[in-house]
Amino acid sequence: GLAAVPREMLTENQRGAIQRGVDEYIAAEMTNADRPESYLNIGLIHVDRGQFDQAEAAYRAALDLQPAFTQAAVNLADLYRLQGRDGEGEQTLRQALARDSHHAAAHHALGLLLIRQRRVSEALTALAEAARLDGDNPRYGYVYAVALNGTGQGGLAIQALEAVLAKYPNDRDTLMALVAFQRDAGN
């Protein structure tokens, strides 16, 4: 909706209407302030509006309420990524995974963070774990395969893509990558 339109393209009336809508949404979520999901939703709104301090406070409130609410930690780490604070993001994700080692999104986020830091072998371990834990998310398998291929492990990358395609034969990104990797392998 209008909330996705750049603010400078909106009239003052439209900006006011959006701000009132956001304020009402946040007020409604605050009536459920005993639920960490409410703070997660509030944090998402603040990130969308570039209000990073408020977003961080909301994600921390969610984690204070429920330390094992791993999705809030994943979102907090992503907020840190946006701010160039990957060190804090890594710490946040590792603490979350210490509490909940079966959270695929946290392993995936950690893997991407480690790729950004060029810590490739650690990244591959995290990305592999995300793909293993959540075979219902073809993106995890695809990203793991791309990372494998980027380290010269084309054969394993092809196997990973074929495993994704066995479940999701129409996943476009996976199909395109498989074609490219097979072509590069001379097949």
Side-chain angles (χ1 to χ4, degrees), residues 149-167:
N149 194 64
T151 62
Q153 299 178 67
L156 288 175
I158 288 169
Q159 288 174 20
L161 292 173
E162 287 172 342
V164 173
L165 287 173
K167 272 186 124 167

Side-chain angles (χ1 to χ4, degrees), residues 26-140:
I26 290 174
E29 285 292 347
M30 287 308 291
T31 64
N32 295 314
D34 56 332
R35 296 177 54 245
E37 295 84 1
S38 296
Y39 286 107
L40 182 72
N41 294 335
I42 290 167
L44 291 168
I45 290 285
H46 285 307
V47 168
D48 196 47
R49 301 178 65 77
Q51 299 166 330
F52 293 163
D53 289 347
Q54 293 98 315
E56 183 174 352
Y59 294 148
R60 288 195 176 285
L63 289 167
D64 287 345
L65 268 178
Q66 189 178 328
F69 186 42
T70 307
Q71 191 56 52
V74 171
N75 285 41
L76 180 58
D78 192 55
L79 174 64
Y80 289 148
R81 175 190 61 81
L82 291 171
Q83 297 175 295
R85 295 164 64 189
D86 268 345
E88 290 168 87
E90 180 178 357
Q91 184 179 3
T92 299
L93 290 169
R94 290 199 186 277
Q95 287 170 349
L97 286 167
R99 280 189 213 94
D100 178 7
S101 63
H102 299 295
H103 198 279
H107 283 286
H108 185 74
L110 179 61
L112 294 176
L113 183 152
L114 293 167
I115 290 280
R116 288 192 299 279
Q117 295 187 342
R118 294 180 170 52
R119 292 160 58 192
V120 178
S121 64
E122 288 177 83
L124 285 173
T125 301
L127 294 172
E129 189 65 2
R132 186 188 71 75
L133 286 170
D134 189 356
D136 292 331
N137 187 334
R139 186 84 191 153
Y140 294 161

